[in-house]
């Protein structure tokens, strides 16, 4: 039941936990941590979603099974106060009748809202009206002491970051449970708005597609802006619709180079979701469409709906109507064929993003013979960071194939550590905090903070 997160074989050095505890309230968590800290027992917090800490024996602290209360939905102040066991779908179902929603990217509705927005990367996916979703946390420190951030830490019964206060939120996000156990999170909720819209541009030139998402993000005209390769859109289309078309798509990818698309389709589809007052949305839609044409793209919103109806429904459901809770994948059982574990993620500025993209696709194809690559990008921090994710197919249930894939991943990591790579891409690092230059003391300072909070190292034994 309690495995090494969603990453399975990647944590080959993990030691299975010796037991699990399922507290029902904050007081029980405090007592557990006091005992663990006294006896130096490793603790790994668990909630549904991506758990990014490998086991090193000790105890699993399950904050999902019994701590699942929605304590408050304050539409006047614009936040919801939830426990770790509250799922994304459940909170969204509570918010929609009130005229509100909450972003959680493309994560499944069964994932914990706290895991998704606070502990994982969905926190950084936000932009425009979705920006800065975490307002505050209540957390139990390794010593068993209770901490609240922002105005709640002053004893008030309402949650606000508090601009005149020291901002301690990011001690816990996205620390993945290494500084404390989050027991409550105050999360920003967003009005659905009078109307919603989506704009889709077709681009054969990757650079132009990324430039478009960057431009509309910086101006804060949109909720979400992403570039999906034809392959990612087509994969999502058939994963949702089901049927023989999925396997036709797989065969098609194996006969094209990673940067090619079949006739009648674009290499890249860039989309933006927009919501708000009618006049505001109409104006932003026109501006987004003008910028698509300015960057040699085509407005393909209606054509996309006809060609890839499953992906269109997914985008409408997730990014326009905000009804993620009802989505299902009709072909989830064939994901073993698709093998999404072969995933590679890079974050950098937009200049290095475009340069790296072309080099990386050609490396995968020419050195490793990998054709079936799909990718997407999205803008973070109002266009200052471009997030890129690449996925390629392998049979994750075949041991020989999996070992070969691990070798490829290792070789790519070695390539990124070469002097040649560092000179060509000076702003890209794998695991940037761990590889931070010593002269800037980032890693040293963070390690000092962790040791101060957790001197017995029970929260981060790996």
């Amino acid at each position: 039941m309690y495995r090494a997160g969603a990453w399975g074989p990647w944590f080959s050095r993990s030691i299975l936990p010796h037991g699990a505890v399922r507290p029902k309230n904050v007081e029980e968590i405090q007592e557990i941590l006091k005992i663990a800290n006294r006896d130096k027992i490793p603790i790994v917090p668990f909630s549904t979603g991506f758990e990014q800490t490998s086991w090193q024996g000790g105890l699993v602290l399950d904050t999902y099974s019994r701590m699942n209360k929605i304590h408050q939905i304050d539409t006047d102040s614009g936040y919801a106060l939830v426990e770790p066991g509250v799922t994304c779908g459940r909170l969204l179902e509570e918010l929609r009748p009130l005229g509100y929603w909450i972003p959680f990217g493309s994560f499944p509705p069964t994932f914990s809202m706290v895991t998704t927005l606070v502990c994982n990367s969905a926190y950084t996916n936000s932009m425009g009206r979705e920006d800065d979703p975490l307002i505050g946390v209540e957390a139990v420190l390794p010593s068993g002491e209770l901490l609240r951030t922002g105005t709640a830490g002053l004893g008030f019964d309402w949650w606000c970051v508090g601009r005149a206060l020291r901002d301690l939120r990011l001690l816990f996000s996205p620390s993945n449970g290494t500084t404390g156990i989050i027991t409550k999170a105050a999360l920003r909720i967003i009005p659905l708005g009078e109307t919603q819209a989506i704009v889709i541009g077709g681009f054969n030139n990757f650079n132009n597609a990324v430039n478009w998402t960057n431009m509309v993000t910086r101006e804060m005209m949109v909720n979400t802006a992403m570039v999906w390769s034809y392959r990612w859109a087509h994969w999502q289309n058939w994963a949702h619709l089901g049927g023989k078309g999925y396997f036709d798509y797989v065969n098609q990818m194996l006969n094209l180079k990673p940067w090619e698309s079949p006739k009648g389709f674009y290499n890249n589809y860039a989309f933006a979701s927009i919501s708000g007052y009618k006049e505001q949305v109409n104006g932003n839609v026109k501006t987004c469409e003008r910028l698509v044409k300015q960057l040699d793209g085509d407005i393909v919103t209606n054509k996309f709906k006809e060609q890839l109806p499953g992906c269109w429904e997914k985008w409408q459901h997730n990014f326009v109507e905000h009804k993620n809770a009802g989505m299902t994948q009709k072909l989830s059982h064939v994901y073993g064929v698709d093998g999404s574990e072969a995933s590679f993620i890079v974050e950098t500025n937009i200049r290095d993003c475009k340069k790296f993209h072309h080099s990386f696709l050609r490396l995968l194809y020419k050195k490793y013979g990998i054709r079936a690559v799909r990718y997407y990008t999205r803008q973070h921090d109002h266009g200052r960071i471009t997030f890129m994710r690449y996925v390629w197919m392998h049979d994750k249930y075949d041991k020989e194939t999996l070992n070969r894939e691990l070798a490829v991943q290792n070789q790519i990591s070695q390539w990124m550590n070469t002097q040649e790579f560092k000179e060509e891409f000076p702003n890209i690092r794998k695991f940037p905090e761990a590889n931070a230059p010593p002269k800037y003391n980032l890693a040293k300072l963070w390690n000092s903070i962790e040791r101060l909070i957790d001197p017995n190292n029970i929260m981060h034994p790996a």
Side-chain angles (χ1 to χ4, degrees), residues 27-314:
E27 291 74 22
E28 288 189 1
I29 291 179
Q30 289 181 285
E31 289 303 311
I32 291 166
L33 285 183
K34 286 177 183 177
I35 295 170
N37 193 48
R38 182 194 67 196
D39 297 337
K40 299 182 180 179
I41 301 171
I43 292 287
V44 177
F46 174 89
S47 189
T48 180
F50 289 131
E51 312 308 320
Q52 297 184 350
T53 304
S54 60
W55 311 133
Q56 294 297 310
L59 291 176
V60 174
L61 188 63
D62 180 349
T63 59
Y64 174 75
S65 300
R66 303 172 72 189
M67 296 185 65
N68 52 16
K69 295 178 183 176
I70 299 175
H71 286 272
Q72 187 180 12
I73 296 178
D74 188 335
T75 56
D76 291 329
S77 298
Y79 70 83
L81 184 64
V82 301
E83 291 183 342
V86 176
T87 64
C88 300
R90 179 184 162 203
L91 181 57
L92 190 61
E93 288 176 348
E94 295 287 336
L95 291 174
R96 281 189 58 81
L98 303 175
Y100 283 79
W101 65 286
I102 191 164
F104 51 90
S106 56
F107 286 90
T110 54
F111 275 23
S112 158
M113 199 76 242
V114 171
T115 302
T116 300
L117 271 188
V118 182
C119 299
N120 286 331
S121 57
Y123 181 87
T124 59
N125 287 349
S126 305
M127 63 194 75
R129 297 171 75 234
E130 302 178 23
D131 187 40
D132 203 14
L134 178 61
I135 293 174
V137 300
E138 177 187 88
V140 179
L141 303 179
S143 63
E145 297 171 288
L146 189 66
L147 173 71
R148 284 186 172 185
T149 66
T151 52
L154 300 177
F156 299 138
D157 62 355
W158 62 284
W159 290 76
C160 176
V161 174
R163 296 304 176 187
L165 302 175
R166 298 188 188 276
D167 189 354
L168 300 180
R169 292 174 299 167
L170 299 190
L171 278 177
F172 307 95
S173 177
S175 66
N176 299 304
T178 60
T179 50
I181 306 297
I182 297 173
T183 53
K184 296 184 184 71
L187 304 172
R188 192 181 312 279
I189 59 176
I190 304 169
L192 286 169
E194 287 183 348
T195 189
Q196 300 83 31
I198 190 168
V199 176
I200 305 174
F203 296 87
N204 284 320
N205 184 292
F206 173 80
N207 290 2
N208 288 350
V210 173
N211 284 341
W212 180 76
T213 59
N214 184 265
M215 291 167 69
V216 299
T217 299
R218 283 182 309 182
E219 294 299 324
M220 300 182 69
M221 295 187 294
V222 303
N223 297 334
T224 302
M226 298 179 68
V227 176
W228 282 24
S229 66
Y230 155 77
R231 295 151 180 260
W232 201 291
H234 207 165
W235 163 74
Q236 187 64 68
N237 182 67
W238 289 109
H240 180 59
L241 293 179
K244 179 177 176 293
Y246 183 89
F247 298 97
D248 292 338
Y249 146 76
V250 171
N251 290 326
Q252 187 183 75
M253 284 215 301
L254 294 173
N255 289 291
L256 291 171
K257 295 177 181 177
W259 50 87
E260 293 179 338
S261 59
K263 187 177 180 180
F265 293 89
Y266 293 85
N267 292 340
N268 305 282
Y269 291 92
F271 74 91
S273 65
I274 307 167
S275 62
Y277 295 110
K278 293 178 182 178
E279 297 84 357
Q280 172 192 16
V281 171
N282 291 338
N284 287 344
V285 166
K286 290 179 181 178
T287 303
C288 287
E289 290 179 343
R290 177 176 64 81
L291 293 175
V292 168
K293 297 174 183 176
Q294 182 177 310
L295 292 168
D296 297 324
D298 297 315
I299 306 299
V300 297
T301 307
N302 293 328
K303 185 177 181 180
F304 187 91
K305 183 178 180 179
E306 296 173 4
Q307 289 183 318
L308 299 168
C311 187
W312 166 267
E313 185 177 349
K314 168 77 172 178

Side-chain angles (χ1 to χ4, degrees), residues 394-412:
H394 72 280
D395 187 348
K396 64 185 177 183
Y397 297 115
D398 179 81
K399 187 174 181 180
E400 181 180 346
T401 305
L402 182 58
N403 287 336
R404 185 166 62 247
E405 178 55 42
L406 287 167
V408 170
Q409 292 270 354
N410 186 50
Q411 290 175 39
I412 291 172

